[in-house]
Amino acid sequence: MLTSLHIEGDSPLHRLGAGFKLGALALVSIGLFLIDSHLALALCLAAAVLAYLSSGVGLAEGLRRLRPVLWSLAFLMLLNLFFMPAREVAVLALRILSLVFCAAAITATTPVAGMMAVVDRLARPLERLGALRPGDAGLALGLCLRFVPDILGRYETLREAHKARGLKLRLPTLLGPLIILTLKQADDVAMAIDARGLRGARSTSSTRRQPEP
């Protein structure tokens, strides 16, 4: 089972700062949806795949990590063929695939703690306004990223269990238990956070740092 999506390395992407990479990802995502050319989007996809592979993940392992996303995307694109022209579906698929590989490259080359710190810095104005508790935005991102390898590992476990019992692999029979197990883990994590007082401790420490009026 995967324990982290981050891969240790010394590639050019590894050496870039987390804030720079997340900002670049935001700009790339906007740029991708301004491009309509199949050729330009195909070149963007090739560049995104090369960036992902430069992290040292390897082609087989890289595709295995993204397999649920790729299958979901293929299913959605097939559905869109009933409502949209094939050209528009191809453009949409190239855009989303490029974005998926760009995001995967950043996730593979950036520690979760680095991304959490960037999100916390961006959320400080909302924290000062009282819209967020200090550290909650970064904590939410860290938990989401931490859950991804767990969900992938749980999916593989359920798939192997079906094969061992000689059951035919069907999405409904896998999706139900996967959702239930994931929600149960989410409840366990939420109770663990509350039991350790992490949210309250962050709010209290932030309040103590503020100067007395």
Side-chain angles (χ1 to χ4, degrees), residues 64 98 169 188:
R64 189 181 75 83
S98 300
L169 293 176
D188 292 341

Side-chain angles (χ1 to χ4, degrees), residues 67 156-169 174:
R67 183 166 53 192
E156 292 293 338
T157 301
L158 289 171
R159 197 165 66 91
E160 293 300 325
H162 275 66
K163 285 184 177 180
R165 290 171 173 79
L167 301 175
K168 187 175 180 180
L169 293 176
L174 290 173

